């Protein structure tokens, strides 16, 4: 008896309970509900179900379903896209001129972040680490870097590279690097400057 009274939800029909009542359906028509007393026959129940089916055949009901599953790689690509969009919005400081003493590229990068209150791009942070690694084994390895390269030139170089990374880097490239480096968070600065509103 219950099997005849329960309509498929996937077809967009309501589940009917064994009560005698009329109820307004979403399409503003009255639907007779079958009683559960012994006087009803299975044939009458099927007739009522078929009548309901024919009334609703004109109504198309769709269910919201995600277009596709979100994979971890897809989520990471989306985060990289959001990161790149955010970094594009941060303006490169125009008022520079302080002389920052430094002994390494990463040390200069850290000082720049503190002085200007801005993050450096993930790719810039990687590049500064690479530049420091290039010095290992050279004759000048232990010499302070600001005695080799003038601090103003070094700072200008970092800002130039930063501008290239902020404005022209592909979020796909960033996402691919993040996929290969499970510790990529360590090279993303947790500095969030106030962005100017676009008005």
């Amino acid at each position: 008896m219950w099997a005849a009274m329960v309509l498929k939800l996937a077809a967009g029909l309501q589940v009917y309970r064994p009560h005698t009542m009329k109820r307004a359906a979403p399409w503003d028509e009255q639907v007779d509900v079958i009683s559960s007393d012994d006087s009803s026959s299975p044939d009458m129940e099927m007739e009522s179900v078929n009548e309901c089916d024919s009334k609703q055949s004109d109504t198309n009901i769709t269910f919201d379903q995600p277009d596709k599953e979100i994979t971890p790689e897809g989520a990471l690509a989306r985060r990289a896209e959001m990161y790149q969009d955010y970094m594009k919005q941060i303006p490169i400081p125009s008022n520079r001129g302080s002389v920052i003493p430094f002994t390494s590229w990463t040390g200069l990068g850290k000082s720049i972040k503190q002085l200007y209150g801005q993050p450096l791009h993930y790719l810039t942070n990687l590049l500064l680490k690479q530049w420091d690694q290039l010095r290992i084994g050279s004759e000048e390895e232990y010499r302070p870097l600001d005695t080799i390269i003038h601090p103003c030139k070094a700072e200008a170089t970092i800002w130039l590279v930063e501008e290239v990374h902020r404005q022209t880097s592909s979020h796909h490239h960033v996402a691919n690097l993040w996929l290969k480096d499970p510790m990529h968070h360590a090279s993303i600065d947790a500095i969030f400057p106030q962005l100017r509103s676009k008005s």
Side-chain angles (χ1 to χ4, degrees):
M1 183 181 287
W2 274 96
M5 295 187 316
V6 177
L7 301 176
K8 296 179 182 177
L9 286 174
L13 303 177
Q14 291 184 343
V15 175
Y16 293 96
R17 308 246 185 253
H19 300 289
T20 304
M21 60 183 263
K22 290 190 176 197
R23 177 183 219 172
W27 52 89
D28 296 329
E29 292 181 14
Q30 295 292 321
V31 177
D32 290 330
V33 181
I34 302 169
S35 173
S36 66
D37 63 20
D38 293 335
S39 64
S40 66
S41 70
D43 292 337
M44 289 176 57
E45 289 175 10
M46 285 305 293
E47 187 176 302
S48 178
V49 168
N50 290 338
E51 181 180 312
C52 188
D53 282 343
S54 66
K55 285 182 182 178
Q56 192 169 0
S57 64
D58 296 336
T59 306
N60 292 330
I61 298 175
T62 59
F63 293 97
D64 292 332
Q65 295 177 355
D67 291 338
K68 53 187 168 183
E69 289 288 324
I70 297 175
T71 62
E73 293 83 10
L76 191 64
R78 179 67 182 130
R79 283 201 329 257
E81 183 178 13
M82 291 169 55
Y83 174 78
Q84 187 64 34
D85 288 344
Y86 173 73
M87 292 302 288
K88 278 184 181 180
Q89 296 177 35
I90 304 171
I92 300 292
S94 57
N95 298 330
R96 300 191 301 262
S98 56
V99 176
I100 304 171
F102 64 101
T103 58
S104 68
W105 287 107
T106 52
L108 178 58
K110 185 176 180 181
S111 296
I112 286 173
K113 294 172 204 178
Q114 290 173 345
L115 183 63
Y116 296 102
Q118 284 197 10
L120 291 179
H121 196 281
Y122 168 78
L123 297 174
T124 304
N125 286 325
L126 290 184
L127 187 60
L128 296 179
K129 289 176 188 175
Q130 288 174 352
W131 285 351
D132 281 339
Q133 290 170 354
L134 291 174
R135 295 183 65 205
I136 296 173
S138 72
E139 294 175 9
E140 308 294 334
E141 180 179 356
Y142 298 106
R143 184 173 163 198
L145 199 52
D146 61 358
T147 63
I148 301 170
I149 301 171
H150 192 277
C152 292
K153 279 185 176 179
E155 182 182 351
T157 301
I158 289 177
W159 284 120
L160 180 63
V161 167
E162 180 66 13
E163 187 172 19
V164 169
H165 287 153
R166 286 183 187 180
Q167 299 303 319
T168 66
S169 296
S170 162
H171 70 276
H172 297 291
H173 177 69
V174 173
N176 285 335
L177 291 174
W178 287 359
L179 276 172
K180 295 173 187 173
D181 180 13
M183 296 299 294
H184 66 271
H185 295 16
S187 297
I188 299 174
D189 297 326
I191 303 170
F192 306 101
Q194 187 76 24
L195 298 177
R196 293 185 210 134
S197 62
K198 296 177 182 180
S199 48

